[in-house]
Amino acid sequence: MIYPINHDQQVLQQPARPATSADRQLAEALVTTLTAHQDHCIGMAANMIGFPVSIIAVSLGPVNVAMLNPRLVKKAHPYQTKEGCLSLTGTRSTTRFERITVAYQDLTGAQQELELTGLAAQAVQHECDHLRGILI
């Protein structure tokens, strides 16, 4: 299912609750919604489609990956950048890290850990901010 993009800042600023195995369909819908917006979007958090649940979906090259309960476990090399967001208008300045390690659960519930750099790392950081109710 493809969900509409949420623009309600009150919903976007709510911290997400932890995801459970019951949220698998929501994670799959988030990936489907990201795929529908792939020409202008590389990541989404569940609250961007109206659900304050700790799930993100990110484009990692040719595949879109759902991450349940993602958390940054390592980060290095901060830099300043500007970002946009489907839920907000315009771009804003923010600090990101060039290299991160993110721990998360995949759709089967298995624990995963992934090292990312560049734009993929930036997208994961942006979406993890969404889960904490932080808007750029």
Side-chain angles (χ1 to χ4, degrees), residues 53-80:
V53 180
S54 187
I55 303 171
I56 66 173
V58 180
S59 288
L60 300 178
V63 296
N64 292 333
V65 176
M67 298 180 184
L68 286 72
N69 302 310
R71 58 189 173 80
L72 302 180
V73 294
K74 291 182 187 173
K75 49 190 178 181
H77 310 295
Y79 66 97
Q80 286 296 120

Side-chain angles (χ1 to χ4, degrees), residues 42 58-59 79 98 116-125:
I42 59 170
V58 180
S59 288
Y79 66 97
E98 176 63 31
L116 299 168
T117 60
L119 193 56
Q122 184 177 341
V124 167
Q125 292 169 79

Side-chain angles (χ1 to χ4, degrees), residues 88-110:
L88 305 169
T89 57
T91 59
R92 292 160 182 83
S93 295
T94 189
T95 300
R96 295 293 180 218
F97 293 87
E98 176 63 31
R99 178 178 302 278
I100 65 164
T101 301
V102 60
Y104 64 96
Q105 294 167 308
D106 64 21
L107 289 174
T108 70

